Amino acid sequence: FEVGSVAKLVQGADTLAHAWAGGFNTPQFSSIDLNDDGQLDLYAFDRETGRSYTFLSAAAGTGWRWQYAPVYESSFPADLANWVQLRDYDGDGQADLFTANKRAGIRVFHNEGLGKGLPRFRLATEELTFILTPKLSANINTGSYNVPSIQDINGDGRLDILTYDFVNSATLELYLNTGAGSGTSLTSFQQSSNYWGLIQSCFDCAAYQPEGAAACSTAQVTPLVPGSEGGGSKSLHSTALKLVSKLLRYVDEGNRIMHSMGHSVLAVDLNGDGKLDLLDGRDNCSQLMRLLNTGSSSTSARFTQENISSSFPLATPLNNSIFPAPYLLDADFDGVQDLLVSPNMVDNSMDHVSMRRTVQQFTRSSSSGSLPAYRLVTDGFLQNDMLDVSEGAAPTFGDLDGDGLVDMLVGTVGDKVKGYYRGSIYYYRNVGTARRPVFRLVTDDYLGLAAAAARTPGSRFEAIRPVLVDLNRDGALDLVYSGFVGT
């Protein structure tokens, strides 16, 4: 068998290049050479669905394009969860795999190279540790919700680890690799700092407490707190809520983590002064925070209040995510690293935000003065070329218009449109042939279910699952769908 796309899908004037890839919810991006051709390909791990995606860099005329290549997805471990970063730790030119283990620590898989044309990964260690004393080590615990940055911080060519502390995600911890040789020794990490940047994050989204500054604000905030009567919210001071959140971690009745004090961090030199600065995305916050390093080096970083900004990128500040996570890679094949930002929450059942057009691509342009300048290229990197109906696509097929060709309906869990979250049914009419279908979008609200939700608050259906079937055996297809009334 050969993987291929027989049916095309058209929305407006666009024929979607990755129509059947499955859509993105919360993708985390890394570079890897999947087929050993010397070109960096693309890997994405979706945190919410736990799924791996693989894309090849394929020649297209005089340039390059991303080509969805699902044959490589089964090469990656099946039990990946929380976060994944591909980094070459031993200098063999192959991207190895770092990911969370079940104890909120870090496990590592070594890339063994190709076998039968596919990458092979071998578990190298179940737990990364750092040296406390010559005879005692402890595990590097990132916390169940933080996403660390695994990169060379001090410029010695070895991978280091930067993460918020696992107890309350308030201070940054830096673990430097002190091994010998050119590669990264998985047994030679030492904690260089448990107060990197000389700063503490406060509960409020854009608030930090630099060393020597006034304590975090105790202004009232009103987030959703478990146990609120009638599904409302309780008003707590941020200092009290910080303690409560450490205990409750925003769990639902099924004890699933819905929100926490989690962070996604990336160290990058934003102003060209040779020192690594910080991009910080926080759970339940829409901004991507930019912190410029005024310290003496990347390891001796210092962040001051006047060099912290929530207006990043400057030209088009991010303000539409729930837990933005930044990634650097060459997304458009021009040899320059782009900035990708995507949501990073575990679950959307509390937030009820749209999961369409959420992967933003920024390219770096010339800087004005010492501040970074990124320009928005697209708000749906790869996503806009997929059949992506926000969440939970549920297709069914049948001839809806009596032309002898099979059409397609796609139900959705929900999408936020005009201020409310509701499910709907997308209708794609087959304008091709029986052997070569071409599904063209006719409407994203078949039968007007979403429109009814706008008129009647009690009719806000979610998780719509349609089925086309001849119920009464009269030779005509009937439509059955399930769902529930949302909030």
Side-chain angles (χ1 to χ4, degrees), residues 411-480:
T412 73
V413 167
D415 193 7
K416 192 168 186 177
V417 178
K418 296 181 179 179
Y420 60 91
Y421 186 84
R422 82 295 181 269
S424 68
I425 299 177
Y426 284 59
Y427 169 33
Y428 291 87
R429 181 172 179 263
N430 186 355
V431 296
T433 66
R435 292 178 61 86
R436 296 284 180 179
V438 177
F439 295 106
R440 180 181 293 277
L441 179 64
V442 176
T443 178
D444 61 2
D445 190 17
Y446 187 63
L447 301 182
L449 296 179
R455 296 190 302 269
T456 310
S459 300
R460 294 182 181 179
F461 294 113
E462 296 178 22
I464 297 176
R465 298 288 185 266
V467 177
L468 290 168
V469 60
D470 184 0
L471 287 174
N472 54 2
R473 300 184 181 181
D474 63 353
L477 286 177
D478 304 302
L479 174 63
V480 180

Side-chain angles (χ1 to χ4, degrees), residues 9 30 48 71 94 109 115 139 144 155 164 171 188 206 219 224 233 235 295 318 325 375-376 404 409 412 447 456:
L9 195 143
S30 294
E48 184 174 332
V71 66
Q94 304 281 0
F109 292 83
N139 65 312
S144 59
Y164 271 89
T171 58
S188 299
L224 186 66
S233 61
S235 179
L318 192 75
R375 176 177 57 85
L376 180 65
L409 297 179
T412 73
L447 301 182
T456 310

Side-chain angles (χ1 to χ4, degrees), residues 268 328-332 334-339 362-364 374:
V268 56
L328 281 181
L329 55 89
D330 183 6
D332 53 10
D334 64 354
V336 179
Q337 286 190 320
D338 303 293
L339 175 66
F362 298 87
T363 185
R364 186 160 187 169
Y374 280 93

Side-chain angles (χ1 to χ4, degrees), residues 236-288:
L236 295 177
H237 288 285
S238 59
T239 50
L241 187 55
K242 195 164 191 177
L243 175 61
V244 171
S245 66
K246 284 196 293 182
L247 300 176
L248 297 178
R249 307 299 288 182
Y250 284 153
V251 297
D252 66 1
E253 292 179 356
N255 203 35
R256 295 178 303 161
I257 295 176
M258 310 301 288
H259 277 303
S260 73
M261 303 289 288
H263 294 252
S264 294
V265 295
L266 175 67
V268 56
D269 183 3
L270 291 170
N271 54 7
D273 65 356
K275 297 175 295 186
L276 292 177
D277 308 300
L278 186 70
L279 294 178
D280 187 1
R282 305 172 65 175
D283 183 27
N284 213 22
C285 298
S286 59
Q287 308 98 327
L288 182 62

Side-chain angles (χ1 to χ4, degrees), residues 149 151-153 162 196 266-279 290-295 297-298 303 312 328 336-337 339 364-365 367 369-374:
S149 182
Q151 62 183 104
D152 181 8
I153 297 293
L162 179 67
W196 187 79
L266 175 67
V268 56
D269 183 3
L270 291 170
N271 54 7
D273 65 356
K275 297 175 295 186
L276 292 177
D277 308 300
L278 186 70
L279 294 178
R290 182 223 69 197
L291 296 85
L292 295 180
N293 182 2
T294 61
S297 67
S298 295
F303 301 118
F312 183 86
L328 281 181
V336 179
Q337 286 190 320
L339 175 66
R364 186 160 187 169
S365 56
S367 298
S370 61
L371 296 179
Y374 280 93

Side-chain angles (χ1 to χ4, degrees), residues 106-419:
I106 301 174
R107 59 178 175 155
V108 183
F109 292 83
H110 182 259
N111 188 338
E112 302 283 283
L114 298 186
K116 297 183 179 180
L118 299 174
R120 298 168 299 162
F121 292 95
R122 171 185 57 83
L123 182 64
T125 180
E126 180 62 31
E127 191 88 59
L128 282 185
T129 61
F130 69 100
I131 302 169
L132 284 173
T133 70
K135 295 184 178 181
L136 181 63
S137 296
N139 65 312
I140 300 176
N141 194 322
T142 65
S144 59
Y145 217 56
N146 291 321
V147 177
S149 182
I150 299 175
Q151 62 183 104
D152 181 8
I153 297 293
N154 59 359
D156 66 354
R158 303 182 187 93
L159 292 175
D160 308 305
I161 300 171
L162 179 67
T163 181
Y164 271 89
D165 71 282
F166 75 94
V167 177
N168 59 10
S169 299
T171 58
L172 285 154
E173 299 177 342
L174 175 60
Y175 298 88
L176 294 179
N177 193 275
T178 58
S182 58
T184 300
S185 170
L186 298 182
T187 59
S188 299
F189 286 98
Q190 289 189 344
Q191 189 181 75
S192 170
S193 174
N194 62 1
Y195 191 32
W196 187 79
L198 305 179
I199 199 167
Q200 174 181 329
S201 71
C202 304
F203 182 84
D204 301 321
C205 285
Y208 295 85
Q209 180 186 338
E211 184 183 46
C216 292
S217 170
T218 57
Q220 284 192 321
V221 292
T222 55
L224 186 66
V225 177
S228 300
E229 290 77 5
S233 61
K234 294 179 180 178
S235 179
L236 295 177
H237 288 285
S238 59
T239 50
L241 187 55
K242 195 164 191 177
L243 175 61
V244 171
S245 66
K246 284 196 293 182
L247 300 176
L248 297 178
R249 307 299 288 182
Y250 284 153
V251 297
D252 66 1
E253 292 179 356
N255 203 35
R256 295 178 303 161
I257 295 176
M258 310 301 288
H259 277 303
S260 73
M261 303 289 288
H263 294 252
S264 294
V265 295
L266 175 67
V268 56
D269 183 3
L270 291 170
N271 54 7
D273 65 356
K275 297 175 295 186
L276 292 177
D277 308 300
L278 186 70
L279 294 178
D280 187 1
R282 305 172 65 175
D283 183 27
N284 213 22
C285 298
S286 59
Q287 308 98 327
L288 182 62
M289 301 299 298
R290 182 223 69 197
L291 296 85
L292 295 180
N293 182 2
T294 61
S296 59
S297 67
S298 295
T299 53
S300 299
R302 183 182 185 90
F303 301 118
T304 57
Q305 198 66 59
E306 58 269 22
N307 288 295
I308 299 174
S309 175
S310 61
S311 295
F312 183 86
L314 290 176
T316 50
L318 192 75
N319 196 33
N320 63 348
S321 188
I322 290 297
F323 187 177
Y327 309 93
L328 281 181
L329 55 89
D330 183 6
D332 53 10
F333 308 102
D334 64 354
V336 179
Q337 286 190 320
D338 303 293
L339 175 66
L340 298 179
V341 183
S342 61
N344 200 31
M345 66 274 203
V346 172
D347 189 280
N348 190 34
S349 61
M350 177 183 287
D351 302 302
H352 279 179
V353 297
S354 175
M355 302 302 288
R356 292 185 302 114
R357 308 182 73 89
T358 56
V359 184
Q360 298 183 321
Q361 176 191 346
F362 298 87
T363 185
R364 186 160 187 169
S365 56
S366 58
S367 298
S368 174
S370 61
L371 296 179
Y374 280 93
R375 176 177 57 85
L376 180 65
V377 176
T378 177
D379 60 359
F381 173 69
L382 294 181
Q383 211 175 11
N384 291 347
D385 274 322
M386 300 176 180
L387 198 171
D388 193 324
V389 295
S390 183
E391 284 192 278
T396 187
F397 298 87
D399 183 6
L400 294 175
D401 55 3
D403 64 355
L405 299 176
V406 174
D407 307 302
M408 178 173 66
L409 297 179
V410 183
T412 73
V413 167
D415 193 7
K416 192 168 186 177
V417 178
K418 296 181 179 179

